[in-house]
Amino acid sequence: MNLSFGVKALIVIICALVSVITGMVAGLLNHDPGTPKRKSVIFGGGVFGGCMILCVTVLTSLGVF
């Protein structure tokens, strides 16, 4: 695909936002009341990274980048 730079940047921003939302939900689901939040934040960050890598990999295989 021959997409302009602006469209590619918009797609990457959308992927990042979806990954942030997924990481936040995973961190909230991982948190137990009365325990430190550090473990949940690290878990959510890992889920964010994994989701972002998955999104970029799928877009690369579709030929967007």
Side-chain angles (χ1 to χ4, degrees):
M1 280 187 214
N2 290 332
L3 299 175
S4 67
F5 178 73
V7 173
K8 288 180 183 179
L10 184 63
I11 291 172
V12 170
I13 290 171
I14 290 171
C15 287
L17 290 175
V18 168
S19 298
V20 165
I21 292 170
T22 306
M24 286 173 52
V25 170
L28 286 172
L29 290 175
N30 189 36
H31 179 65
D32 294 326
T35 59
K37 294 175 180 65
R38 182 181 326 122
K39 179 179 141 186
S40 297
V41 170
I42 292 173
F43 183 78
V47 171
F48 165 78
C51 187
M52 191 68 185
I53 290 171
L54 181 66
C55 288
V56 171
T57 303
V58 168
L59 289 174
T60 302
S61 68
L62 290 175
V64 174
F65 297 119

